[in-house]
Amino acid sequence: MERDIPISAAADRLDTTPRMLRYREGLGLLPVTKEQPTGRGHRHRRFTEADVQTVAAGLELERSYDITPAALSFALRVLAEPATRVRVRAYGERLGRLTPPPARALDFEQQKALRLLKSAPPHPLP
């Protein structure tokens, strides 16, 4: 059975502070806990070895890409929420940092037909 460790010990192992771990938890960067509140509704977060390794992986991503915890949290949101992904992609295309996906042949033909219809002079009715 895995032994749970308190947040202070987890913070020491990760070379961070309990406050930073709570901040990361608020951003959704800690594994979900199934612990129920104790006492007056407070819960004392405890970490398994797998939790510590998961948080360490997140910290390594932040260091490797020189990003903040908030940036990593948003990246996960983009991956998890299709509507957010669509909006961010559209923004990237407007900036010119992303190329639009290639148009399908039918889309091209439809747009061509619409352009021809708009440019055609109106015909008088008989």
Side-chain angles (χ1 to χ4, degrees):
M1 181 175 172
E2 280 190 89
R3 188 174 74 82
D4 292 342
I5 61 172
I7 193 170
S8 56
D12 286 344
R13 284 190 48 196
L14 294 163
D15 196 27
T16 189
T17 64
R19 183 175 180 174
M20 182 54 92
L21 287 177
R22 287 187 194 94
Y23 170 68
R24 296 175 65 74
E25 183 174 33
L27 291 172
L29 295 176
L30 296 188
V32 177
T33 180
K34 295 178 179 120
E35 296 173 355
Q36 295 300 314
T38 59
R40 298 181 182 181
H42 301 292
R43 73 182 156 84
H44 299 281
R45 175 74 193 236
R46 300 191 64 85
F47 291 77
T48 64
E49 183 60 34
D51 293 341
V52 172
Q53 290 175 3
T54 299
V55 175
L59 291 167
E60 178 56 31
L61 278 172
E62 292 167 17
R63 278 190 293 274
S64 294
Y65 292 100
D66 193 25
I67 60 172
T68 65
L72 180 57
S73 177
F74 186 68
L76 289 171
R77 181 177 174 190
V78 168
L79 292 171
E81 299 174 8
T84 304
R85 185 177 326 124
V86 167
R87 291 183 66 194
V88 170
R89 176 158 193 80
Y91 181 64
E93 289 172 12
R94 289 181 71 177
L95 288 173
R97 291 191 62 188
L98 299 174
T99 57
R104 298 182 322 211
L106 267 173
D107 293 340
F108 174 77
E109 292 300 325
Q110 183 180 19
Q111 289 177 3
K112 180 179 170 185
L114 289 172
R115 277 195 311 275
L116 289 172
L117 285 173
K118 286 181 185 177
S119 65
H123 294 289
L125 294 174

